[in-house]
Amino acid sequence: MTIRWFSLLLLLAFTLPCKGEVPLAVKRVFSQLVPGEIGKNITEAPLPGWFQGQVGSRLFYVDSTGEFLLDGQVFNLKTRTNLTAIALNSFRQELLSGVDEASMVLFKAPDERYRVSVFTDVDCGYCRKLHNSMADYHRLGISVQYLAYPRAGMGTPTARIMESAWCADDPVKALTRAKQGKKIKQLECTNPIIDHYRLGNALGVKGTPAILLESGHLVPGFVEAPQLLQMLEQG
């Protein structure tokens, strides 16, 4: 009897996943959720017996048996926090940290308190409105660093204009002229436009402007300077 129980325990030790280890059933679900997309950052979820993972720009939850899938937001009612948003913000921060700041076009506030990363398109009306409000952001200590996101995709006239702006000797001046609807010199060089575009897709950017705060929170659309400052102060 003792040997039999010992054998059973030994079998369980080899078949049950260790704490923190992702079960094969869970990995299988995340590998099949979206065709062409591989699940990543798969870890134990705040829900006991569940795992969370990122597929594309979205976060999914799968139970340890691989039988149940949760597509939605998880809140901690005691702390009144959105745990899904916190996890996604962390993923966005990690992705942005891999971008060379030199590849962005920076409009720096004289007395910088905060810095936001903005996915922009030179032909977008609200992108132009945001750019025309640059002095308002700067007065509040908010610097803006632009990443390119041609909404119509790569290989379009807009994308080529943005490539020329990034290739210019003075990208700040060239980008401003482009946003004013003025012609800029057509240039070619090694540029980060396609990398920025892919990053925007990975982060879940659906349109422009898209403002990424230091916290990792992604804000769609134009935001007036005072409201943006309030968001930044709240973290």
Side-chain angles (χ1 to χ4, degrees):
M1 181 67 70
T2 303
I3 295 176
R4 187 176 302 170
W5 274 109
F6 178 77
S7 299
L8 178 60
L9 290 173
L10 190 62
L11 177 63
L12 288 172
F14 280 101
T15 56
L16 292 178
C18 300
K19 181 175 176 57
E21 183 182 343
V22 181
L24 289 176
V26 173
K27 292 180 180 178
R28 189 176 300 114
V29 172
F30 277 110
S31 69
Q32 299 172 350
L33 268 179
V34 180
E37 293 279 359
I38 299 175
K40 54 187 177 182
N41 298 319
I42 304 173
T43 60
E44 287 185 315
L47 304 170
W50 288 72
F51 290 79
Q52 65 183 35
Q54 187 182 5
V55 181
S57 61
R58 300 170 64 188
L59 192 70
F60 294 93
Y61 301 89
V62 176
D63 81 304
S64 59
T65 68
E67 183 178 359
F68 299 101
L69 170 72
L70 175 61
D71 177 12
Q73 298 188 349
V74 175
F75 292 82
N76 184 318
L77 297 180
K78 289 184 178 180
T79 61
R80 296 184 180 276
T81 53
N82 185 331
L83 300 180
T84 303
I86 291 173
L88 287 173
N89 288 352
S90 177
F91 295 156
R92 294 190 192 106
Q93 285 177 318
E94 182 179 351
L95 284 175
L96 186 65
S97 68
V99 179
D100 183 358
E101 288 190 359
S103 75
M104 307 182 215
V105 179
L106 174 63
F107 288 77
K108 186 170 173 39
D111 298 309
E112 181 181 295
R113 295 175 56 199
Y114 300 100
R115 184 176 295 194
V116 296
S117 303
V118 179
F119 287 87
T120 193
D121 181 308
V122 293
D123 294 330
C124 151
Y126 279 104
C127 294
R128 291 181 175 183
K129 185 175 182 179
L130 187 152
H131 196 73
N132 291 336
S133 303
M134 194 65 68
D136 297 331
Y137 297 122
H138 284 180
R139 272 194 293 272
L140 297 179
I142 303 172
S143 293
V144 174
Q145 56 186 18
Y146 282 127
L147 297 101
Y149 192 84
R151 295 168 300 163
M154 300 302 300
T156 60
T158 297
R160 287 192 287 272
I161 291 172
M162 299 185 78
E163 288 172 351
S164 294
W166 255 260
C167 290
D169 292 335
D170 188 344
V172 169
K173 183 177 179 180
L175 192 54
T176 296
R177 284 183 59 83
K179 284 178 175 289
Q180 292 170 344
K182 298 177 181 178
K183 289 187 177 181
I184 62 173
K185 185 177 180 179
Q186 188 171 348
L187 298 169
E188 292 183 3
C189 69
T190 301
N191 63 76
I193 307 303
I194 191 169
D195 292 331
H196 288 181
Y197 183 72
R198 288 171 176 167
L199 174 65
N201 290 335
L203 292 174
V205 172
K206 302 300 182 184
T208 54
I211 306 171
L212 187 62
L213 308 186
E214 293 171 331
S215 65
H217 180 54
L218 187 64
V219 182
F222 169 75
V223 180
E224 297 281 358
Q227 284 70 44
L228 184 56
L229 177 64
Q230 186 177 22
M231 292 179 183
L232 292 165
E233 289 176 337
Q234 291 174 347

